[in-house]
Amino acid sequence: MARFFVLDNVSYCYPGSAKTGVCQVNLELEPGTFLAVLGANGSGKSTLARLCCGLLKPTAGRVLVDGYCTANDEELKDIYQRVGIVFQHPDNQFVASTVEREIAFGVENRIMSSRAIRRIVDAEMVRFGLTALRTAQPHSLSGGEKRLLSLADIWALKPKLILVDEPLAMLDPGTRERITQLLRDLRTEGQSMIWFTHGLAEVMAADQVLVMCKGRVVWRGQPATLLTMAEEARAWGITLPPATQVAYELGINSPVVANESELVSVLWK
Amino acid sequence: MEVKLADVSVVYTRAGEPPRKALNKISFSLKTGEAVALLGPIGSGKSTLLQVIAGLRPPTSGQISVRGQDGPIVLSIQEPHRGFFAATVREEVAFGPENLDLDPAETAARVEWALTAVELPRDKWTVSPLQLSGGEQRRVALASVLAMKPRFLLLDEPTIGLDGPGEEALRRILARIRTETAISYLIASHDPDFLYALTNRVLVLVDGELRADTTWGDWAQQAARVAPDLKLPFLLGLLHRLAAAGAPVNTAPATPAAAWNELSRLCRERVKEGIG
Amino acid sequence: MNSVAYYPAGSFWHARDPRLKLLVVLAGATLVVTEKSLGGQIFLLALHLLLFVTGQLPLRRGWHMVKTFRWLLLIALLLNLWTGSLPTALCYLLRLINLLLMSSWLLGVTESLTLIKGLELTLLPLKRVLPVGEMAMVFGLTLSFFPLLLREAGEIMLAQQARGVNFKTNWAKKMKGLIAMVIPLFISALRRALEIAQAMEARGYVPGAPRGSLYALAWGKKDSAGAVLVFCFVLVWWGYKLIW
Ligand SMILES: Nc1ncnc2c1ncn2[C@@H]1O[C@H](COP(=O)(O)OP(=O)(O)OP(=O)(O)O)[C@@H](O)[C@H]1O
Ligand SMILES: Nc1ncnc2c1ncn2[C@@H]1O[C@H](COP(=O)(O)OP(=O)(O)OP(=O)(O)O)[C@@H](O)[C@H]1O
Ligand SMILES: [Mg+2]
Ligand SMILES: [Mg+2]
């Protein structure tokens, strides 16, 4: 049976660059999974994200979404309907001149009535707290507001697979928690997610973790297993959750601490 | 050198919207040698404030004065990739020192030093900054301000995009230049752990108003009340939770070193209890 | 202030169909280009200002547009003074200003995506012979390329100032900064334009395919009335010219 999302030995090399950006990545994803891709700066995460949604075409190997292949131009629009991407730099994705039109843009491509579009746009503006900025120009927003808008853009589309590249950067800690919750809710609605980052704490709820180093996948497994691999994590440039780091530095090696509450109970019953 | 803000306000007027007060009557001063953290929820006016201090945005009202200026005030903007223009990373980083009219040898040395300090792999030095990953771009942006050896450094969310080792490198270099030269810096960030390690004064902006100008120890006591969206640095938050659970710890250590002391003391006591 | 960016407001003109606005611009541009008297150009200038006011665009926006192109205008004025008389030179100057104001007005009261849509619909009869959807998209991207270029220039200048360039006082440095900027600016704006095109497609945009709209586009009675008015106006204008 064809899987929902398949990376088949995918490699990518930027034109004019000697090194490969992404090298021989294999992956299969079932609907409703949450996959985390971790890696240091320059390890190939964003390149992989662009390959997954068809914005870059693999120089070798294939990317398949519901059986459609990103290499075929005629199939791209079927892929775009199923996969949504939130870029690392939010302003790279803004196409319209006001916040509400920006959110509406993707929905408009689906040919709905103005009233239906309006309903979706209004709901997303409320969800992401952007209602007051309705007519603001996307490029005049503050960093965090831009991030929220870039998320709202994709939320409005409800793609089957959502790719988020460092979605929490530029957000304050409180907003970060709310967005993390929103991202987790996706799974209960049957959407799949691939989350690209270098901090393990953000993706402790992932079903599977994939670690990239210099364009290659060097490790796969459960997030909890990574907690016990401090040495390797350091070498791969992955940040462990602060509680885990603090526990190690205090010389507490077992049990392995995953979060603040566990650390509190280890330090003080 | 002293930068002084008196009743500085900035009002943005956007089409189709009532005017927005991004900064509302901000007054404080920054002196040589200070290391200051700027905290605030998203959209609270941090970037605007940094631009005003750097002289890039004239305030709508209020004064900003600089006394005894002995070097450039330099700002690293929040989205560095928007400002890149040079053909190679090396030229991008050299641009700042060139503006200081340094001789070419000195400029080259500084470029070398800054790019090494931010740990950008050497094979990336000759490519276009637009062809780098997000974290690599951030490193270039930071190197390009560090190479100017400013006396007054303003950093807008410098850790965005940086991985663990990158953040560590930045922390090291900032700590080092502060002990070596009389530099002052003001860092706006959503990462309180990074700030706690590097600063000894905290400014808090909420809705364009300066709600706190204090020390970390004191901020730990009022944070939950003033701005619930701003978490404490991990170590301070941990001490608070331990204290709430009944542990005998000081909840307001002014530096991370002091916080570590508290934690290791607690740890030692636990070990002793365990043995006894 | 960006004098070519969309200016959200709820004016009469914002609510009109983009095709009507294109028609207004087409008619206006024809008159401006063919009008040879200073008086006529002044009259057209007044009409443009009226368009600004009824579109709830601040006049400052128009002034800003003119200021942005001041060098070009000055050179045009001098050249015309060289070859002709003062009134013809002034007439030429006003003609340029009128065209600038017209484009600033159109981009101010019409969101760029709506404008693309309007163009597509206008060109629809030519669909057999021309790739209308793609053309409209290219045109629309070109239109949004200029705000993009301006914004990009603004950002780069900000970044340069943050690193010690003083654009206000030091001419030598300013020129150096500007020269060092022009080509990279075009490259990065071009890159940005391509990125935008990609980002549009990634969200399901297919040039020329039918789309919904947040603000329903429907050619209404007011649009028809407007179109008739524009035609009448042009006819009267030319009739008047002929008889005179
Ligand atoms: N447009 C480009 N042209 C050439 N090389 C590029 C381009 N974009 C990225 N690269 C290179 O490809 C490698 C992978 O980059 P990528 O952006 O995928 O990294 P990343 O894992 O997302 O890193 P970060 O955490 O810094 O965002 C890097 O070495 C980078 O320098
Ligand atoms: N050029 C502008 N025009 C109009 N409004 C603006 C402009 N720049 C910023 N604003 C508004 O001013 C407020 C403060 O913006 P600022 O960028 O200073 O916030 P910030 O504290 O840096 O936020 P963040 O943490 O999200 O970067 C925001 O609500 C923003 O929407
Ligand atoms: Mg990346
Ligand atoms: Mg900011």
Side-chain angles (χ1 to χ4, degrees):
Chain A
M1 194 200 91
R3 292 295 174 94
F4 158 61
F5 181 74
V6 181
L7 296 184
D8 175 18
N9 226 12
V10 168
S11 299
Y12 183 79
C13 187
Y14 282 101
S17 157
K19 281 201 226 156
T20 40
V22 161
C23 196
Q24 296 176 346
V25 176
N26 286 294
L27 178 72
E28 287 191 1
L29 223 60
E30 311 230 0
T33 9
F34 169 10
L35 172 77
V37 176
L38 295 176
N41 288 153
S43 59
K45 301 181 297 296
S46 301
T47 311
L48 186 64
R50 283 175 184 262
L51 284 165
C52 286
C53 65
L55 286 177
L56 287 179
K57 310 217 167 172
T59 34
R62 291 182 310 159
V63 180
L64 297 170
V65 186
D66 261 350
Y68 295 106
C69 179
T70 58
N72 301 344
D73 281 336
E74 318 82 64
E75 293 176 17
L76 272 180
K77 71 177 196 315
D78 297 291
I79 289 171
Y80 292 147
Q81 265 175 25
R82 290 167 173 79
V83 187
I85 178 168
V86 177
F87 291 120
Q88 183 168 12
H89 298 310
D91 34 322
N92 282 357
Q93 92 184 46
F94 297 150
V95 298
S97 38
T98 63
V99 165
E100 61 173 4
R101 295 220 158 204
E102 175 60 32
I103 301 176
F105 179 79
V107 194
E108 287 175 336
N109 295 330
R110 304 218 162 143
I111 331 174
M112 295 186 205
S113 71
S114 298
R115 189 156 335 126
I117 297 176
R118 165 60 64 197
R119 230 185 347 259
I120 295 175
V121 171
D122 284 350
E124 295 311 330
M125 285 198 294
V126 170
R127 193 199 307 270
F128 289 94
L130 293 166
T131 312
L133 295 165
R134 198 171 66 86
T135 57
Q137 268 188 40
H139 290 277
S140 75
L141 298 178
S142 84
E145 292 161 348
K146 279 184 190 171
R147 169 58 70 204
L148 292 175
L149 177 58
S150 70
L151 289 164
D153 275 355
I154 304 305
W155 242 255
L157 289 174
K158 297 215 182 321
K160 279 195 190 164
L161 171 64
I162 193 163
L163 310 168
V164 285
D165 199 352
E166 298 198 25
L168 302 187
M170 308 212 260
L171 298 178
D172 60 47
T175 314
R176 228 175 257 194
E177 270 180 18
R178 288 193 286 279
I179 297 301
T180 308
Q181 194 50 51
L182 280 179
L183 283 160
R184 292 206 189 126
D185 291 346
L186 283 179
R187 198 164 26 157
T188 56
E189 289 167 27
Q191 285 167 279
S192 312
M193 169 166 59
I194 310 184
W195 182 322
F196 300 83
T197 179
H198 39 71
L200 180 58
E202 298 169 14
V203 293
M204 282 305 289
D207 300 314
Q208 205 199 136
V209 173
L210 205 140
V211 176
M212 295 190 70
C213 186
K214 305 212 169 90
R216 290 172 185 276
V217 174
V218 291
W219 188 85
R220 311 172 183 244
Q222 297 296 310
T225 320
L226 258 185
L227 291 178
T228 62
M229 304 166 58
E231 291 278 300
E232 289 92 334
R234 173 167 272 273
W236 292 328
I238 292 169
T239 324
L240 294 181
T244 316
Q245 278 178 30
V246 168
Y248 281 136
E249 282 188 45
L250 287 171
I252 305 169
N253 287 315
S254 67
V256 173
V257 171
N259 55 41
E260 195 181 18
S261 312
E262 288 179 27
L263 184 56
V264 169
S265 56
V266 167
L267 286 172
W268 190 260
K269 273 190 290 289
Chain B
M1 177 156 153
E2 183 182 6
V3 176
K4 195 168 177 175
L5 280 76
D7 284 331
V8 166
S9 299
V10 169
V11 179
Y12 287 117
T13 39
R14 259 197 289 236
E17 256 184 60
R20 172 184 297 260
K21 252 197 179 151
L23 291 178
N24 192 2
K25 299 224 166 106
I26 306 284
S27 307
F28 65 89
S29 68
L30 297 167
K31 293 196 191 65
T32 303
E34 276 190 305
V36 188
L38 179 58
L39 289 173
I42 60 180
S44 56
K46 300 181 295 300
S47 301
T48 307
L49 181 60
L50 292 185
Q51 288 169 12
V52 167
I53 298 175
L56 304 181
R57 187 180 284 291
T60 315
S61 66
Q63 276 86 44
I64 167 156
S65 52
V66 182
R67 261 198 311 182
Q69 182 154 11
D70 53 3
I73 301 180
V74 171
L75 165 69
S76 169
I77 57 178
Q78 185 167 2
E79 291 155 322
H81 64 286
R82 308 298 306 273
F84 289 149
F85 59 91
T88 67
V89 166
R90 221 188 258 271
E91 286 167 41
E92 184 71 45
V93 177
F95 178 77
E98 281 168 1
N99 290 331
L100 300 176
D101 270 342
L102 299 176
D103 66 90
E106 169 73 7
T107 302
R110 285 196 184 186
V111 171
E112 178 90 19
W113 167 80
L115 283 171
T116 314
V118 296
E119 297 182 354
L120 185 77
R122 211 165 250 276
D123 61 329
K124 301 283 175 205
W125 291 18
T126 46
V127 303
S128 154
L130 293 173
Q131 291 181 349
L132 294 177
S133 81
E136 291 165 345
Q137 288 183 336
R138 174 66 67 184
R139 289 171 199 238
V140 173
L142 290 167
S144 69
V145 292
L146 290 172
M148 294 180 73
K149 302 222 164 137
R151 306 305 303 277
F152 222 99
L153 183 55
L154 307 166
L155 300 176
D156 200 350
E157 309 217 29
T159 59
I160 285 184
L162 285 186
D163 58 10
E167 196 178 314
E168 203 50 52
L170 178 62
R171 207 181 285 200
R172 267 200 310 275
I173 190 73
L174 285 178
R176 203 176 86 210
I177 53 180
R178 202 161 104 80
T179 51
E180 284 173 2
T181 55
I183 188 181
S184 354
Y185 48 74
L186 174 61
I187 310 176
S189 175
H190 290 304
D191 180 355
D193 294 314
F194 179 78
L195 294 173
Y196 188 39
L198 284 170
T199 60
N200 45 29
R201 179 177 167 196
V202 187
L203 298 178
V204 182
L205 274 180
V206 178
D207 286 337
E209 283 177 20
L210 193 62
R211 291 286 170 79
D213 178 357
T214 178
T215 60
W216 280 105
D218 182 44
W219 171 240
Q221 309 297 348
Q222 44 171 314
R225 185 166 36 82
V226 177
D229 267 354
L230 301 178
K231 296 275 146 50
L232 287 179
F234 182 79
L235 290 175
L236 285 178
L238 182 64
L239 288 171
H240 268 254
R241 288 200 46 182
L242 283 166
V249 287
N250 170 16
T251 55
T255 63
W260 277 112
N261 273 340
E262 286 295 306
L263 285 176
S264 15
R265 188 175 52 76
L266 188 72
C267 240
R268 275 197 306 276
E269 280 168 18
R270 298 289 294 167
V271 171
K272 244 185 270 164
E273 271 173 39
I275 294 165
Chain C
M1 162 166 264
N2 191 334
S3 46
V4 283
Y6 176 59
Y7 188 93
S11 82
F12 170 79
W13 287 111
H14 283 80
R16 292 286 70 74
D17 191 285
R19 282 166 285 180
L20 175 67
K21 288 182 262 189
L22 281 169
L23 183 70
V24 170
V25 168
L26 189 70
T30 316
L31 294 187
V32 167
V33 171
T34 51
E35 179 55 47
K36 294 201 173 61
S37 79
L38 185 57
Q41 290 290 353
I42 292 177
F43 183 73
L44 287 169
L45 178 67
L47 278 183
H48 285 143
L49 295 181
L50 190 68
L51 283 180
F52 262 69
V53 172
T54 48
Q56 290 176 10
L57 301 179
L59 290 178
R60 206 155 42 95
R61 178 188 165 96
W63 173 235
H64 194 265
M65 182 79 177
V66 172
K67 233 172 71 182
T68 312
F69 288 93
R70 59 187 180 279
W71 296 113
L72 186 81
L73 294 174
L74 191 71
I75 292 169
L77 182 70
L78 290 179
L79 277 179
N80 276 283
L81 274 178
W82 186 269
T83 54
S85 65
L86 183 66
T88 49
L90 281 179
C91 173
Y92 195 83
L93 181 72
L94 271 180
R95 185 179 291 162
L96 289 179
I97 289 177
N98 277 333
L99 288 175
L100 288 176
L101 288 180
M102 194 102 209
S103 39
S104 172
W105 173 79
L106 178 66
L107 294 171
V109 296
T110 328
E111 214 258 353
S112 54
L113 291 164
T114 316
L115 198 60
I116 298 180
K117 185 86 207 163
L119 267 170
E120 240 177 75
L121 293 174
T122 316
L123 297 175
L124 211 54
L126 302 176
K127 197 164 181 157
R128 284 269 184 74
V129 279
L130 291 172
V132 168
E134 281 82 353
M135 275 174 57
M137 167 127 154
V138 167
F139 181 78
L141 281 180
T142 320
L143 274 184
S144 47
F145 189 73
F146 290 100
L148 196 85
L149 207 64
L150 283 182
R151 199 177 63 225
E152 206 84 336
E155 306 258 351
I156 292 180
M157 264 154 81
L158 190 85
Q160 294 196 343
Q161 278 171 295
R163 286 192 268 151
V165 174
N166 194 336
F167 284 105
K168 292 254 155 56
T169 53
N170 191 332
W171 262 94
K173 273 190 186 165
K174 177 175 168 167
M175 283 322 285
K176 191 179 157 218
L178 281 180
I179 290 167
M181 208 172 84
V182 173
I183 292 169
L185 174 67
F186 265 93
I187 292 173
S188 85
L190 205 67
R191 224 178 81 105
R192 207 28 73 63
L194 290 176
E195 266 171 10
I196 290 180
Q198 273 203 339
M200 289 169 97
E201 284 185 32
R203 277 200 270 155
Y205 183 81
V206 182
R211 292 183 87 231
S213 175
L214 178 63
Y215 292 101
L217 268 194
W219 183 271
K221 281 202 188 99
K222 282 187 189 167
D223 297 305
S224 305
V228 171
L229 250 154
V230 172
F231 273 120
C232 293
F233 181 78
V234 173
L235 285 181
V236 168
W237 182 277
W238 274 339
Y240 178 77
K241 287 275 147 186
L242 272 180
I243 295 160
W244 206 244

